[in-house]
Structures are given as C-alpha cells and as structure tokens.
Amino acid sequence: MGSITLTIHLKRNICMKVFFCSLFLCVNLVFSGMAQTTKVFYEKKEQEFVIYADNNELCPVSLIINLDLSNLAFSDKDKKVFVIPPKTERFRIGKLTPVNKNDGTKFSYNYKTALGDITVKKYDTSFVYDLPFQKGNLFRVHQGYNGIFSHQNEKAIDFTMPEGTEILAAREGRVVQIVQNNTESCPNEECKKYNNHIIIMHADGTFGCYAHIKYNGSKVKPGDYIQKGSVIGYSGNVGWSSGPHLHFACFLPAFDKWQTLETKFRIDNGENVVLLMEGKEYKRDY
C-alpha cells in the first residue's frame, strides 16, 4: 500500500532532478485514508545518483525501498529500511554508482512508508493507561479485542458514549496527526475513509489512536505535548460506525497493518488495574 514504482533509463550525459511522492496508508480493518506524505527524490551528480527523502511529519517516518539496478551499485548494499527523523529535509537514502563508467545506466525502485519508527520492537509493557473519559462517568465496552464487527485480529476497544463526550488522553505524548473534517458515517467498511481521529505518539515509540471524534471535535493541534488526563476532543459517530462511540487503540508502526497492543487500564478509584473486556461497564472515580 502507498507504494510508488519508477524506472529511470539514462545515458551518461543526462542530468536531472526528479521528485516523487508516496502516501502512507493505514491498512487496518478500522482505518484507512490516514495519509502521510513523504517526498522521495534523487539528484544526478556527474555519473552518480543520490536518493533523498523529506519528512514533514512531527514524528519519524519509516521507508522501505526496493531497487532494481542495471550497471549501478547501491552504497548501502542490501539495506532496504530507513527511518527518517521528524521534520527532516534531504535525508540521504543512499548513492547509486556506475559499475562500468563507459556504459549507460538503468534503475527502477518502488517504496512505501509508515508513520513512526518501524525498528521499535521493545516498548513499555508495564504502562498503565487511564480511562479516556472524565471522573464520575461510566461507559460500556461495546466491542473489545478481536471483536466481530470491525476488530478482527485487532486489540482495540470501543466505548459506547454519547456524541460530544469529552475525551481525555489515556497517556501523555505528542499529537502527531488529526483528522476532524469528516461528517459521514455508516455501519459498513466503505465508510472507514471518513474516520476522524487524533493520534498521539508516546515516549516509547508507540501510538495511541482516538477515533470517530465529532466534526471539528479536536481540542488539540498537531505538535502539542499532551499530559495524561488532558481533554483532547469530543466523541462522535463519524466514519465506520454503527452508533456513537470512542474507538481507542495503542499500536506499533508497521508497513502493512498496525501491530495493536494490549493496554491495561486503571478503573474505579484507580487502584484496580485490568484488561478491559467486551460487554462490561467501567467507571472512572479518579
């Protein structure tokens, strides 16, 4: 998903600079259309080609590139995965050098990107999350892990709650993406492209996604650092949704599908820590 393929057939005396754009698409049973734009381009310098990438996002972006080379050698040999730091221009992917300088060169490549650092494998498994709503509220988990409606093979939680309910950050972090311009909804997968959401990056490289927020329902903006328990927006009924609710998932980045993670929450007065179960109600008294 989100891959671009191009073929370049050049003689030694041709000099050019070319830009291409790749979209990161969240391949997820609940979400799509979470587009991240990464600019990948190359420059020809004498007989060599240098490949660069620009990342305008507020978090790292991972890129996997596949090269098909004719009379060219890649400076990083078999390396395919690169992590581009946030807000970085002209990140050097590598250099292509002619094997035989007297012959023409040809190369093609395809690539795709993912929001976040794909190399992160270890994360804070002991972290305890707060329920994402205000003290005194009680809400039911309508759909839990591996739910049959839209959570197949996914560790995500749907809290049934009225539209306009304040959403609190379950964990501190930096806001890296907001979509809040959609208004349409339906109970079919075709409506996942309308999912409004807020994505927050945590200190350990994981992300928290708060989805189906109402139109213009965010109270934060990209780049904000959010403390645990801060109000970040208002719940809604937008996108792939059969009724008003808040969808919450914690995930590690991946090229094809998020690796969603189990999350333990403090419930009641905050002393009890549990994995939330489908069909049960949970109250926040802290």
Side-chain angles (χ1 to χ4, degrees):
M1 293 296 293
S3 62
I4 297 291
T5 302
L6 80 131
T7 301
I8 310 298
H9 201 73
L10 297 172
K11 295 297 183 180
R12 289 184 297 114
N13 61 342
I14 298 177
C15 181
M16 64 174 61
K17 180 177 180 179
V18 179
F19 293 87
F20 289 87
C21 191
S22 169
L23 291 181
F24 160 81
L25 299 179
C26 171
V27 186
N28 181 290
L29 290 176
V30 176
F31 301 103
S32 70
M34 296 184 180
Q36 293 297 321
T37 303
T38 300
K39 182 188 292 183
V40 176
F41 59 96
Y42 73 89
E43 294 177 355
K44 187 174 188 294
K45 298 182 178 180
E46 296 180 351
Q47 292 181 273
E48 299 177 333
F49 304 88
V50 183
I51 301 173
Y52 298 97
D54 290 348
N55 174 21
N56 194 42
E57 301 302 325
L58 294 162
C59 63
V61 167
S62 297
L63 179 144
I64 184 169
I65 187 167
N66 295 296
L67 297 165
D68 185 8
L69 308 177
S70 177
N71 192 36
L72 288 166
F74 184 49
S75 57
D76 281 306
K77 297 182 180 179
D78 296 328
K79 185 175 180 180
K80 293 185 176 183
V81 176
F82 300 84
V83 179
I84 310 166
K87 291 293 183 181
T88 297
E89 295 183 350
R90 296 181 63 82
F91 179 86
R92 189 178 184 275
I93 300 297
K95 182 170 62 175
L96 303 177
T97 305
V99 176
N100 186 337
K101 295 184 178 181
N102 296 319
D103 295 335
T105 58
K106 176 183 177 182
F107 69 97
S108 67
Y109 60 82
N110 63 78
Y111 63 91
K112 55 185 175 181
T113 59
L115 188 75
D117 185 346
I118 198 73
T119 66
V120 173
K121 302 300 179 185
K122 294 182 179 179
Y123 59 96
D124 187 358
T125 58
S126 65
F127 190 89
V128 178
Y129 291 74
D130 282 359
L131 291 169
F133 45 82
Q134 291 283 13
K135 179 179 179 179
N137 284 341
L138 178 147
F139 294 113
R140 181 174 180 266
V141 174
H142 174 70
Q143 185 179 198
Y145 294 170
N146 302 305
I148 61 173
F149 175 62
S150 58
H151 292 182
Q152 296 95 336
N153 302 311
E154 181 185 354
K155 297 179 176 66
I157 299 164
D158 286 347
F159 297 94
T160 300
M161 60 176 59
E163 293 185 51
T165 301
E166 286 188 327
I167 302 168
L168 275 58
R171 182 175 180 176
E172 64 277 0
R174 188 170 301 282
V175 178
V176 296
Q177 187 180 86
I178 296 171
V179 173
Q180 59 176 336
N181 62 306
N182 295 310
T183 59
E184 298 184 47
S185 68
C186 72
N188 304 315
E189 187 175 359
E190 65 190 45
C191 282
K192 64 184 180 182
K193 61 188 175 184
Y194 302 122
N195 288 344
N196 288 340
H197 61 267
I198 299 169
I199 296 182
I200 295 175
M201 183 176 177
H202 308 138
D204 60 357
T206 62
F207 294 81
C209 181
Y210 306 75
H212 307 298
I213 65 172
K214 65 182 296 186
Y215 173 73
N216 283 341
S218 176
K219 292 206 62 170
V220 295
K221 61 183 184 297
D224 287 350
Y225 186 85
I226 304 303
Q227 296 294 335
K228 191 178 187 181
S230 301
V231 177
I232 61 173
Y234 298 98
S235 65
N237 182 26
V238 181
W240 185 6
S241 176
S242 60
H245 72 284
L246 169 67
H247 174 101
F248 175 82
C250 183
F251 66 92
L252 281 172
F255 286 116
D256 295 315
K257 183 180 178 180
W258 291 346
Q259 181 187 341
T260 49
L261 309 171
E262 289 188 347
T263 47
K264 294 181 179 179
F265 287 84
R266 295 194 299 148
I267 63 171
D268 301 327
N269 64 1
E271 295 181 0
N272 297 325
V273 176
V274 299
L275 288 171
L276 305 187
M277 304 298 293
E278 184 172 299
K280 292 190 175 182
E281 294 181 333
Y282 296 96
K283 187 174 184 180
R284 177 172 178 161
D285 271 332
Y286 54 88

